[in-house]
Amino acid sequence: MSPAIIIFIITYILIGIQNIPGIHINRTAGALLGAVAMVFFGVISVKEAYAAIDLDIILFILGMMIIIAYMELSGFFEMVERWILKRAKSASELLFFLIISSGIASSFFMNDTICLLFTPIVLRIVKKAQLNPIPYLIALTTSSNIGSTMTIIGNPQNMLIGLYSKIHFLEFLRILSPVSIIGLLINFLLIRLIYHRDLSGKGINLKFEENKIVIQKRLFIASFITLVLLLVFLCLGYSPQNVAITLACFLILAGADKPRKALEEVDWQLLLFFAGLFIVMHGMEKSGITLLIFAYVKNYLSDGKISQILNLTIGSTVLSNIVSNVPAVILFSHFFAGLANSKLAWLTLAMSSTLAGNLTIIGSVANIIVFESAEKEGVKVGFFEYLKLGLPLTIVTLVIGIVMLLLFG
C-alpha cells in the first residue's frame, strides 16, 4: 500500500472519529498532520503543497467570516432576538419563528455561525418562558442545516461547491430554495408532532428590555449596506471570492475602531482545516489513486439522471456522517470534472451533504456547536432523543431534494 493511501486513511479516521481513547486530536489537527505527512514522506513537495491550497476558497470564506463578525458586533443578531421576543405569543409560535429566522439567517451567514450566535439566545428565551429547551435546540440545529442548503454562502461545503462548479448564485438559489422552504415547514410539523406535549396550548409572555440591546448605529448601517451589496454582486455574477474579500475590507474601513474584535471572531481553525485537506487530496491525486477510485464509481455517477441523483445522495449522506460534510465534498469534487451533467452532480452533492447533517447528533459541526454549548449550561440532548427527529426529517427532506432536482435540476 502506497504512503499516500495510508496517510489519507489515517487522516480521515482522525477527522471522522473524535473520541479515540488516549488521542485528543481535533479535525483541524488531523488535517494538518495529514498535510505535513504528505510532504514528509515525499508524496508531494513543499511547493506543490503550497500550490494545492485553493486561495480563492480561503479568501471567500475569510471574507464572509469578517462580514459576519462585523454584523455581530453591530448588534444585528440582537435585533433578531428582539424580533422573536416581540412576536412569539405561544410555545408553537416561538418554535415557528425560531425555525424561520435561523433557517433564513443560515442561508446568508453560514449555519455554523448562526448556531454559535443563536444558542445562547435560545437558552435565554426558553429559560425566561419556562419551556423545555430540547425541542428548540433541535429546531435550531436542523433548521440552520436545512436553511443553509439554498445558497452558495449558506455553509462551508456549499462555498466549496459554488466556487468549484461555477454555478450562478441565482440558479443555485432557484433550484435549491424550494428544498429549504419545504424542509423548514416539515421540520416545524415534525417537531410539533414529536414534542406536542411541550408545545400545545402553552401561552408565553416574553418581554424584551430595550436597554440591554446595544446597537452600533454606524457599524449597523455599514453592515446592512454590505449585506445588500454582497447579494447584489453575487446575483450579477461577480466572482464570490472577490466580492466577499472586497466587502470585508470595506467593513474594516467602516468599523476602523473594531478590527481586532472582528478578526478575533474569524474561525482560523476552519481555514487551516481547509488548507490541510487541500494538500492531503492533492497528494492522493498526484499518486493516481483518485483516478482509480473514479474509474470504479463513475458508472454510479453517470448512469442516467435518476441513478446519478440517487447514488450520489446515498453516497454523500453516508460519507458526510462518517467524516463530516466538508471532507466528503472535497473528496467527491475530484470525480465530477468528466461527468456529462456535472452541474446536476454538484447540486445533488450540495443538497445531500448538507441535509445529511441532520441525521445524527454529530452529523454536522453546527449540531456539535449547539449541543456542546447547551451542555455547558446544564442542558443535555441524548443521541436517541435527537435521532427520533433527525432520522425521519433527514429521510423526508432528502426525498424532497431528490424530487426537486429531478424536476428542476
Side-chain angles (χ1 to χ4, degrees):
M1 190 178 290
S2 73
I5 295 178
I6 296 171
I7 294 167
F8 172 79
I9 292 172
I10 293 174
T11 301
Y12 269 62
I13 288 173
L14 291 173
I15 290 169
I17 305 174
Q18 296 295 292
N19 294 310
I20 303 174
I23 300 177
H24 305 286
I25 298 175
N26 63 15
R27 289 182 172 88
T28 302
L32 180 61
L33 289 172
V36 172
M38 284 290 183
V39 176
F40 183 81
F41 289 100
V43 179
I44 58 175
S45 67
V46 174
K47 286 186 177 181
E48 287 173 322
Y50 293 155
I53 299 172
D54 194 323
L55 291 178
D56 284 343
I57 289 171
I58 299 296
L59 281 177
F60 183 28
I61 297 175
L62 175 60
M64 288 301 302
M65 285 179 176
I66 293 172
I67 291 170
I68 293 166
Y70 272 105
M71 296 202 77
E72 181 186 358
L73 291 172
S74 74
F76 177 85
F77 295 104
E78 282 82 355
M79 291 287 288
V80 173
E81 178 185 3
R82 182 162 63 181
W83 183 87
I84 294 172
L85 290 174
K86 288 177 71 173
R87 286 160 178 79
K89 304 302 179 186
S90 70
S92 287
E93 283 187 12
L94 178 60
L95 178 71
F96 180 78
F97 286 128
L98 174 62
I99 286 173
I100 296 302
S101 60
S102 60
I104 293 174
S106 293
S107 68
F108 298 114
F109 304 115
M110 288 203 298
N111 59 345
D112 296 354
T113 303
I114 294 304
C115 284
L116 189 65
L117 295 173
F118 274 37
T119 301
I121 294 174
V122 171
L123 289 171
R124 193 161 58 242
I125 289 173
V126 295
K127 185 178 180 180
K128 285 180 183 178
Q130 297 182 321
L131 297 169
N132 178 8
I134 291 177
Y136 297 96
L137 292 171
I138 293 175
L140 173 59
T141 62
T142 51
S143 58
S144 66
N145 286 329
I146 293 169
S148 72
T149 307
M150 73 173 85
T151 69
I152 63 170
I153 57 175
N155 54 58
Q157 66 270 17
N158 277 13
M159 290 183 179
L160 278 169
I161 290 168
L163 292 184
Y164 282 150
S165 67
K166 309 299 182 187
I167 298 174
H168 194 280
F169 180 85
L170 286 178
E171 185 175 17
F172 199 102
L173 180 67
R174 175 183 66 82
I175 295 172
L176 292 183
S177 59
V179 179
S180 289
I181 293 168
I182 297 171
L184 290 173
L185 294 176
I186 287 172
N187 193 25
F188 172 72
L189 294 174
L190 282 176
I191 295 175
R192 275 270 301 170
L193 177 65
I194 293 171
Y195 292 98
H196 64 279
R197 290 182 181 178
D198 296 295
L199 299 169
S200 297
K202 287 197 174 183
I204 55 175
N205 183 22
L206 293 169
K207 295 180 180 179
F208 63 93
E209 300 174 47
E210 292 279 358
N211 60 341
K212 286 195 174 182
I213 298 177
V214 179
I215 303 297
Q216 305 289 332
K217 193 169 182 181
R218 175 187 167 195
L219 198 54
F220 183 88
I221 293 170
S223 299
F224 183 77
I225 292 171
T226 299
L227 175 61
V228 172
L229 290 175
L230 174 73
L231 297 177
V232 168
F233 286 129
L234 289 177
C235 290
L236 291 174
Y238 287 85
S239 61
Q241 66 274 19
N242 292 342
V243 171
I245 201 66
T246 301
L247 291 176
C249 290
F250 164 74
L251 265 183
I252 289 173
L253 292 172
D257 58 331
K258 298 183 183 293
R260 183 169 181 174
K261 283 186 179 180
L263 293 176
E264 284 174 353
E265 296 297 320
V266 171
D267 189 347
W268 299 103
Q269 283 201 46
L270 179 63
L271 298 178
L272 187 59
F273 178 54
F274 273 94
L277 284 178
F278 289 142
I279 295 170
V280 170
M281 288 309 304
H282 182 66
M284 284 282 288
E285 189 173 11
K286 188 183 177 186
S287 69
I289 297 166
T290 53
L291 291 176
L292 293 176
I293 297 173
F294 178 66
Y296 177 76
V297 303
K298 67 179 179 181
N299 292 331
Y300 295 98
L301 298 179
S302 56
D303 187 20
K305 187 175 183 179
I306 296 176
S307 178
Q308 182 188 61
I309 293 174
L310 287 174
N311 289 329
L312 188 52
T313 296
I314 293 169
S316 66
T317 299
V318 172
L319 192 60
S320 293
N321 276 277
I322 294 174
V323 298
S324 187
N325 35 32
V326 169
V329 165
I330 291 178
L331 179 60
F332 274 109
S333 69
H334 289 73
F335 305 146
F336 289 176
L339 295 180
N341 192 351
S342 60
K343 185 182 81 171
L344 179 62
W346 284 117
L347 290 169
T348 303
L349 184 59
M351 178 274 296
S352 56
S353 65
T354 303
L355 296 179
N358 282 334
L359 181 59
T360 68
I361 200 168
I362 56 172
S364 74
V365 175
N367 298 7
I368 295 168
I369 288 170
V370 170
F371 297 121
E372 284 188 354
S373 299
E375 192 166 359
K376 291 175 184 176
E377 299 297 323
V379 180
K380 184 172 177 59
V381 181
F383 182 87
F384 291 103
E385 176 73 28
Y386 178 88
L387 191 66
K388 68 184 182 184
L389 173 79
L391 180 60
L393 178 65
T394 302
I395 292 172
V396 172
T397 52
L398 284 174
V399 169
I400 292 169
I402 289 168
V403 171
M404 291 296 171
L405 286 171
L406 287 173
L407 292 175
F408 307 113

